Amino acid sequence: MQTHTPTTPFGRRTMSLGMMASQAVAKTVPEGAQVQKWKVFHTIREARDLIGATDRSLAILNALL
């Protein structure tokens, strides 16, 4: 019998198995690992047809970065 339902830190939405799996993977990343956000953005921009990104979504992502 389950007595506790895990929830997200941003509300009472229950966590899915995918969310828990991504957290487990994130814990295995080395402590000093870094990502260049602009290199990632340029890679996404180059692969936009493959991933289905629109010009509008790329403009929003650029503004958020």
Side-chain angles (χ1 to χ4, degrees):
M1 180 169 148
Q2 186 177 7
T3 59
H4 176 70
T5 303
T7 58
T8 64
F10 303 107
R12 291 290 180 194
R13 189 176 80 181
T14 57
M15 290 186 67
S16 68
L17 289 176
M19 292 171 139
M20 290 184 196
S22 66
Q23 286 185 1
V25 170
K27 289 180 181 177
T28 63
V29 175
E31 184 142 342
Q34 295 180 353
V35 175
Q36 299 289 325
K37 64 182 176 183
W38 294 113
K39 287 183 181 180
V40 173
F41 177 72
H42 290 296
T43 304
I44 291 171
R45 195 173 64 187
E46 291 173 0
R48 69 176 171 217
D49 293 332
L50 292 173
I51 61 176
T54 63
D55 289 336
R56 182 177 180 159
S57 63
L58 291 173
I60 293 170
L61 179 58
N62 187 24
L64 291 172
L65 290 173

